[in-house]
Each structure stands twice: as structure tokens, then as C-alpha cells.
Amino acid sequence: MAIVNFAITLLLLEVFLLLALAGVESAATLSLERRLPENVEPSELLRRDSSRHHRKLAESYDGVIDFTVDGTSNPYITGIYYTRIKLGSPPKEYYVQIDTGSDVLWVGCNSCHGCPTSTNLNIRLEMFDPTSSSTASVVSCLNRRCDFKSPVIPEKTCPYQAKQCKYTLEYGDGSTTSGYYVEDVIHIDRVVGSSVISNITAPIVFGCSTSESGRISNRMGAVNGIFGFGQQGLSVVSQLFSQEIAPDSFSHCLKGGDSGGGILVFGQIEEPNLVYTPLLPSRTLYFVNLLSISVNGLYSPSNPSVHSISSNEQSLIDSGTTLAYLEEKVYDHLVNAITQAVSKSVPPLHHKGFQCYIIRPRLSAIFPSIIIQVVVSRLFPSVTLNFAGGASMIVTPEDYLLQQITVDGALVRCLGFQKSKHQGFTILGDIVLKDRVVIYDLGRQRIGWADYDCSLPVNVSMNASSGTTRDYVTARSIGGTNSIREDLIQRIIPISIIFLLLHISIF
């Protein structure tokens, strides 16, 4: 009987606990205590909720989304950086240019007019076929995602009876592409520590190009399409962030030199020497306020009338552009300052629309090109770009001087700066972006950078806009190793020889 009573007691206790957990009234009561003061401001509640949501978002990222990078800023080789993506089911690979100067991801589709079918790059060009992917669907005009006004045909001219949401895109170099939007899955590589996880997919909307013209249709340096990294709602960055798959930031480190390559990740590369400048508000692309340009301190900030840049001028950070394009007046001042700074033994030369400088033939006859590169880097001045917020970017001669060419038997170097075709409009391309970490922090609306050897691995923090950070992850460094020329500069040539050459009168 005692055993029965004990069993009944245990049963009653279990029922009581179940009723209490279910919220059923009983003789026992639980007291609730406030965790927030009674007089807390609503704004504080919003801040705490926002912090909590961003913390949850950061914790949901399982590794860093990592893309391979190939190509180079050298216009005599490719002049572009590109990455490889996988789309559809079954997945197929497509090579697309990395472009922060546009919003939309698009690839060439089957039956495309003007799309290149071959390239001088060592890659294979595939055409996307929506009918061959089991997960693909055409985006119609009725779809809410067809209402993004920036890259698509305006709503009034898009007939609702049409099946396809069409688009037409035009780029700064005059290239155009048109087609329609499809929805399909993108296959994502994540890096967790030193391991790569490749079985992650996410649905995205991207362009299916049926017509191309201009440079993008040229076989020289042709790829499958363009990967737009802008802030507009149809960009892959925005789409993955809205699905809580990626943070509201991405970073790249584009390696200079002929070998090229680099790093491209969703998240923020961590580097202690980072400086930041704010993004201009209400823009879908990455416009910043470039205040002035100085050359070896020749033009000081105390004399802004010479080199200052109008506050009305727009400066775009654009990885899809090879060179840098400056407003005419600023360009003229810059060229004059560089010309005045270089030795009179390096006379200027205009060659095919470029401002160039002649390296004396007897220098090239006596010394190999590796020595010429070292000497020229000491002859030419550095150029400093000064941005709002106190951030500066130093562009060295190795950055802004294009690959050496020969004109009438003389060795020539040309500037990678050009006059902008649009008044009051500056474009900062790969010649100033390469060989440094560049961070696009959408949450805080700012861009940061720091000089860096892009052949080295990096640490990446999965920052949400609240500043919540999870553990650092080492991303892969993709791309070629240092070229023979770079290794000679960095390792083989003794410092004593360099100083000896620089102090001998060789001109």
C-alpha cells in the first residue's frame, strides 16, 4: 500500500507540474519581475530590440561566404577582376566581373544576340538556360520584385500581360545588355576555419541577358556577365542580407601585379590600419566625398583653390573600372603637379590619349626592367586622395603608372588617370583600389580601406550594423602567387644595390 501511495503522489506531482507549465491556475503562483525600468524611453526599447535582432542575425551566419578572385588591373592583360559563381539545378559555373559600380547580377543566356561565346582568358563561357534548371522560374511583371525602378523598365511601360520582367542596363563605357529576370538558386561556398562548405544554396533574382553590345561583347577579356555589388534591393548583397544568409557588408582585396587574383568575402575584413569615409546618402552605389588631391605635399590643404574638388562633384568607388577618371580641372592640376615633380630627364609625352613619360633609351639598354621599375618608383611622386572624415588614400607610382610600353624605341610609362567624360563626376577604379583591403559597410553607410598584401589570408568579422561581432574566420586567399618580377623586387635585389643605383647618376 505504501508503494501505491508513493506512486500516486508522484503522479499527482507530475500532473501539477504539467498544469503549471501549461499556464493553468493552481494554488501555486509564480511572480514575474520587470527586467526594464518602468520609465524606460521607447527609443531605448527599439535600440535593445535592434541589438538583439542583429545579434541573432550574426549568430545565424555559419562561416564566411567566400568567392574566388581572378584577373588583374593590368589593362594589357585583362583589365578586370572576376569571380566564379554557380547557378541553377544542376549547378553550372559562370564567370562574372566584380563590379561595385552597378547593382544587378546577370549572365548571358541561350540564344543571346552579341554575347561572346569564347574569350582570350583561360576560362570556358557557359550560357544560362532557364529551361535546363529544375529550380528556375521567369520573373513576371506582376512580381513585386519587378518594381525596382533603377535597373528595370518603368512600371508604366511594363505590360502586365507580359510574362517577362525585362531590363536594359547601360554602363559608363557605352556597353549595354538587355534581357529578362529569372529566379534560381545560387550555390554558396562558406569558409569555417580552414574548411570549405559548398552545399549551401539560396534563391536569388538575376538577369538573363538576351542582347549585348560594346566592350562586354568583345572576345578580349570576355566573361559570362557582371556581378553588381550595389546597394539596390535587387543586388545579391541585398537579397542575401534580407534572407539572413549574409551580413550587410562585404570586402575585397584585389591583388596588383600581372598575377592578379585576390579575396572577395561577405563580411568585414579586419585590419588595424583601416580608415573610413562616409557614403553619400540616398545613393544605391558607393559615392563618397573626395575633398582634394595632393602630390608629394606640393599642394597643401591650406591652398584648396588649386587642388580642391567641388562639393557638387560625385566620386564613385567602382571595381568594374580599370582606371581612375577625374574631372577635367582636377585632372589638369594633377598632371601638372606630377610633371613638375619628376626629373627633367623624364620628359612628358602624349600617346594615344594618355599622359606618358619617356624613360631614356640608354637606361633601358643598360639595366633590366626590374631595375628600371625600382628607379622609376623613386622618380615619380605619390598621389594622396583626401576624403571626408579625415581618411586619406596614398596612390604610389607602382599603382598609377601603367605597364611600360615602347614608343619609337624609347621606354614609356603612362598615367592611369584619365579625364572624366562627365563633368563633375569622378570614378575611382582598380588602379587605386588594388593592393589594399576595401570594406563596404552598408549598415553604417561607410567605406574603409587599408594597404594590404592581398596574397595573404585575412580575418573576417561577420558584423551586423549594430556592431555585433562573432568569432573571426580565416578566408582563403585566391589567385596567383607573386610574379617573378615582384619576387625580385621584394626578395632578391639587395637593399644595398638599390641604394647604390639610386645614388649613381644614371641619366
Side-chain angles (χ1 to χ4, degrees), residues 11 67 106 125 148 179 244 280 338 341 412 431 459 472 475 495:
L11 181 60
F67 296 89
W106 62 266
L125 299 185
F148 290 110
E244 299 187 1
L280 296 183
I338 292 176
V412 172
I431 68 162
N459 289 330
Y472 297 151
I495 297 297

Side-chain angles (χ1 to χ4, degrees), residues 292 298-308:
S292 64
L298 181 62
Y299 297 142
S300 67
S302 62
N303 188 8
S305 62
V306 179
H307 69 288
S308 65

Side-chain angles (χ1 to χ4, degrees), residues 253-255 262-263 435-437 452-456 477-478:
C253 194
L254 307 176
K255 190 175 184 297
I263 298 170
D435 293 322
R436 52 176 49 98
V437 167
Y452 196 78
D453 181 352
C454 299
S455 63
L456 300 177
S477 176
I478 307 299

Side-chain angles (χ1 to χ4, degrees), residues 8 210 290 297 390:
I8 293 174
T210 57
L290 176 60

